[in-house]
Amino acid sequence: MKAFLRKNGFVLSGGLIQGAGMGIFLFPHSIPSGGAGGLAVLLHYWFSISMGLALWIVNFSMLLIAIRYLGNRCTLWTMLAVSITSLAVVVLQQCVSLPLNHVWIDLPLGSLFLGTGVGLLMRQGVSNGGVGVLALIISTSRNSLPGKPLFWINSCIFLLTAFIIRWDILFLALLSQWISTKMVDVIYRLDMWSISSTFWRRKS
């Protein structure tokens, strides 16, 4: 039960932090948060379906892959993480208004939040949804850090999206992914249990 509650806390925290990075800092500047957003834009462009439905299709497809390669438990945790992230984006966009709205301030801050949230999820063996599933599968099979495959998968999708639709946000999207995936690896390396144990010992 203790392990379950601890994992649940990390998953909830990861989803909320990821959602904050998207909803408060990145989405107001139309900066894609990852490959799933880029694929959703392409589906909307090609088939004229709504962005919400397109994003759901992408995430659902990735969850089907997760069931096969990562198991039912990982898929259920991923569904929770995706739901928390989506809810956080909706609530924070409505409730939080930053006094400064400058892309060169919001982009690094949003990317750091995004990478922290994704890193917390992947430390628990939980995907952040979308193409994060593929990155988690690759990192698990190779016993490597997930940041690098996540960066390259997302970069390829950004390039495809920019080539088909427009190029103006490509640089911002790639820079955001570079920062966030570096942060993913930083969080992935941390010994969270030792940090939390040290904190509680000092507090007591």
Side-chain angles (χ1 to χ4, degrees):
M1 178 59 70
K2 186 176 181 180
F4 172 81
L5 292 176
R6 182 170 176 265
K7 180 169 184 174
N8 190 65
F10 277 121
V11 171
L12 291 175
S13 298
L16 287 171
I17 295 170
Q18 178 182 220
M22 296 176 183
I24 299 175
F25 299 105
L26 298 179
F27 286 172
H29 300 285
S30 299
I31 301 173
S33 60
L39 291 175
V41 170
L42 289 175
L43 288 176
H44 172 74
Y45 180 79
W46 283 328
F47 304 109
S48 298
I49 59 179
S50 69
M51 281 293 295
L53 178 58
L55 192 59
W56 182 85
I57 291 172
V58 173
N59 280 316
F60 182 75
S61 301
M62 295 298 104
L63 287 176
L64 290 179
I65 296 175
I67 292 175
R68 180 175 179 180
Y69 290 96
L70 301 176
N72 294 331
R73 182 172 296 181
C74 176
T75 303
L76 291 175
W77 283 111
T78 299
M79 290 176 65
L80 174 62
V82 169
S83 300
I84 293 297
T85 298
S86 300
L87 182 62
V89 169
V90 172
V91 172
L92 291 173
Q93 282 190 321
Q94 293 179 351
C95 299
V96 178
S97 179
L98 297 178
L100 296 177
N101 189 25
H102 195 284
V103 64
W104 293 113
I105 297 175
D106 293 347
L107 185 144
L109 287 175
S111 302
L112 290 173
F113 271 76
L114 177 63
T116 300
V118 174
L120 288 174
L121 294 174
M122 288 190 167
R123 277 187 60 91
Q124 302 303 313
V126 177
S127 168
N128 62 312
V131 298
V133 172
L134 300 180
L136 188 58
I137 290 172
I138 293 171
S139 66
T140 302
S141 63
R142 296 185 176 183
N143 194 26
S144 61
L145 296 172
K148 188 174 182 179
L150 184 63
F151 174 78
W152 286 112
I153 293 170
N154 285 338
S155 296
C156 289
I157 294 173
F158 292 153
L159 284 170
L160 178 63
T161 305
F163 178 76
I164 293 174
I165 301 177
R166 69 180 195 272
W167 292 94
D168 56 338
I169 63 170
L170 175 61
F171 174 74
L172 297 177
L174 290 175
L175 180 57
S176 174
Q177 283 301 295
W178 183 80
I179 296 172
S180 62
T181 50
K182 289 295 183 182
M183 195 64 192
V184 168
D185 286 345
V186 169
I187 298 298
Y188 204 80
R189 289 190 182 102
L190 288 178
D191 187 348
M192 294 298 205
W193 181 254
S194 295
I195 293 173
S196 60
S197 299
T198 301
F199 171 78
W200 286 112
R201 283 198 300 268
R202 289 178 178 176
K203 189 174 181 180
S204 59

